[in-house]
Structures are given as structure tokens and as C-alpha cells.
């Protein structure tokens, strides 16, 4: 829907639950078919969530150049053991940590940051805390706030000699019009910059694939390398949740595969995506 006011904000709150709407429609069609088989024609509408989601990055069968993991570790959690154990089994080159608390950061330091050679941590005793663990150097690391106190961490890294802008982001949940506008503005500004420079954006974006923050012609330069499977809340493996943790990439990248991770003691499930650099 067009517009950026309170009506658009209210409508956006309802678009996130597409898989659940599809399930409800499936049940409605099956119940209706008990009386009239013409209800089965309605099953074709079950494909709508897949067709209306934001575009995904092209697929590549080649090995990844970079594997990016996103984990909202929850501000109340202190023990990174489960996360680090999963990373031992499913290694990543870069790990983005959102809701990073000082206690969690201290435990990571005590465990040598999971053997990642490079790290940039900005822990806070509140949800905006951020961190990045990396097996390759990070240059020009900076932490930038928006007007509402949300943070993003920006850095540069190299892939095949090409400088890539890497952004770890965690905009505020869009529970008010001003937060909704700030989230959408951030993603649109990044998409505009992605048209000029290779970019990876990763984090808890508080936006599903059907959200206005990820849909629209002005967002085409950034595409999802992750799926739409629910990541929050983690209860019941996210069956009744929404997918708001993402990896987005500019047009020079293809994705080699994406998956959700296991329960790491947070209210979010982590995600990981393999990325292949294909050139401009």
C-alpha cells in the first residue's frame, strides 16, 4: 500500500503473518470442500505468500566465498555456549550479534571470542547492543545511531580483493509510526547506497519479507539471501512466529544456501546464509 503515515504503519503490522494466513486459508478450503468441492479451487491462493514476498538473491551452485550468521542473543542471556557449539558444527566467516549485553560480551571474551580472529563489539545493557565476530579483518568500524536510539555497525572487508561494505543492523521494532518510518528509512537509504557500492546487510531487521521495509522498487538493489521461515519467537521452533532476522546483499552476490539454526537460548532462532561474489 502507498503512503508512509499511520494507516500504512497499521497495515504493515498485519502483513508479517503470511504463513499463518496461508495455513488458516488451507483449513478454510478443506472445511468448505466438505460441503462444496469448488472450495478446492481456493487452494491455488496458497501460493500468494511466495509470489508476494520480497525478491531473493540469485542462486549459485558454487562454494560460498562468505558465510554470514545472524544471532539475536537476547539481552537477558549471559551464556554463549550453545551458540558457540553450533558455530563449531556449522562454521561461519562472520557472525552478527544483536541484543548484545555486557555480560554476554564478557563471556565471549573469556572464551576467546569463539576463536574468531577479529571482533567489533558494542555491548549495552539494553537491546541496541551489537557485535560482529569475523575471521577476516574489518576496517573502518563505526557505530552509528538513528534518532530513536537504534544502532547499526558499519565496517569494510575484502572479498577477492574487492572492498565490501558490511552493515550489522537492528532497527527498533515498528510498534509506533515513528519507529516504522525509521526502520523503512534505514533500509531504503542502504538500498540506495547498495546501488553504488557492494554491500551486505545483516541483523534483526524487525521486518518480514512482506514488510514495506523490504518491498518496493527503491529496495531492488538489496535482495534477501535468507528465507521467510519464522525466527521469532523461538518457542515451538518458530512455528507460530515471523521471519525478521535476515541477510541482504547487493547485486554482485548470489546465495549458495540458507538455513535457520537451533535454539540458542534466545527468543530468536539464528539464521545463516552462504554468499558467492559474482562481480559487478
Amino acid at each position: 500500500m502507498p503512503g508512509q503515515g499511520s494507516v500504512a504503519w497499521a497495515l504493515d503490522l498485519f502483513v508479517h503473518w503470511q504463513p499463518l494466513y496461508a495455513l488458516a486459508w488451507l483449513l478454510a478450503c478443506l472445511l468448505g470442500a466438505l460441503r462444496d468441492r469448488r472450495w478446492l479451487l481456493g487452494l491455488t491462493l496458497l501460493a500468494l505468500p511466495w509470489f508476494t514476498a520480497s525478491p531473493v538473491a540469485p542462486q549459485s551452485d558454487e562454494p560460498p566465498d562468505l558465510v554470514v550468521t545472524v544471532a539475536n542473543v537476547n539481552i537477558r542471556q549471559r551464556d554463549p555456549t550453545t551458540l558457540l557449539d553450533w558455530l563449531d558444527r556449522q562454521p561461519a566467516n562472520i557472525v552478527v550479534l544483536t541484543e548484545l549485553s555486557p555480560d554476554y560480551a564478557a563471556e565471549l571474551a573469556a572464551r576467546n571470542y569463539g576463536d574468531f580472529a577479529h571482533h567489533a563489539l558494542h555491548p549495552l545493557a539494553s537491546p541496541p547492543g551489537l557485535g560482529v565476530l569475523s575471521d577476516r579483518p574489518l576496517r573502518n568500524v563505526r557505530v552509528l545511531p538513528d534518532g530513536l536510539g537504534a544502532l547499526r555497525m558499519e565496517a569494510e572487508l575484502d572479498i577477492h580483493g574487492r572492498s565490501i561494505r558490511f552493515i550489522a543492523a537492528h532497527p527498533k521494532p515498528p510498534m509506533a509510526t515513528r519507529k516504522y518510518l525509521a526502520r523503512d528509512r534505514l533500509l531504503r537509504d542502504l538500498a540506495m547506497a547498495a546501488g553504488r557500492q557492494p554491500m551486505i546487510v545483516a541483523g534483526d531487521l524487525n521486518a518480514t519479507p512482506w514488510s514495506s521495509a523490504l518491498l518496493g522498487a527503491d529496495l531492488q538493489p538489496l535482495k534477501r539471501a535468507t528465507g521467510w521461515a519464522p525466527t521469532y519467537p523461538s518457542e515451538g521452533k518458530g512455528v507460530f512466529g515471523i521471519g525478521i532476522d535476515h541477510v541482504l546483499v547487493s547485486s554482485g552476490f548470489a546465495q549458495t544456501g540458507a538455513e535457520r539454526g537451533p535454539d540458542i537460548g534466545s527468543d530468536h532462532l539464528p539464521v545463516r546464509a552462504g554468499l558467492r561474489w559474482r562481480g559487478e
Side-chain angles (χ1 to χ4, degrees), residues 21-33 36-50:
Y21 297 154
L23 177 60
W25 181 245
L26 171 64
L27 294 176
C29 288
L30 294 178
L31 290 174
D36 187 338
R37 291 199 173 189
R38 285 178 295 180
W39 270 90
L40 295 176
L41 296 175
L43 293 176
T44 56
L45 295 178
L46 293 175
L48 275 178
W50 285 265

Side-chain angles (χ1 to χ4, degrees), residues 71 73-74 77-88 97 100-114 133 263-265:
V73 296
N74 192 292
Q77 295 296 320
R78 300 183 177 183
D79 187 359
T81 300
T82 308
L83 173 63
L84 295 179
D85 287 346
W86 177 56
L87 291 172
D88 282 339
L97 306 171
L100 178 66
S101 70
D103 290 337
Y104 202 98
E107 286 296 319
L108 283 173
R111 296 163 190 255
N112 195 32
Y113 301 101
L133 307 175
D263 188 341
I264 57 171

Side-chain angles (χ1 to χ4, degrees), residues 57-65 254-257 274-278:
Q59 183 78 29
S60 172
D61 295 327
E62 298 180 88
D65 293 313
Q255 60 107 342
T256 64
L275 306 178
R276 179 78 181 184
W277 174 247
R278 303 187 306 168

Side-chain angles (χ1 to χ4, degrees), residues 176-193:
T177 305
R178 67 184 187 282
K179 297 178 181 179
Y180 158 77
L181 293 174
R183 181 204 62 185
D184 284 22
R185 188 181 308 116
L186 169 65
L187 271 297
R188 275 166 171 75
D189 288 347
L190 293 178
M192 184 180 301

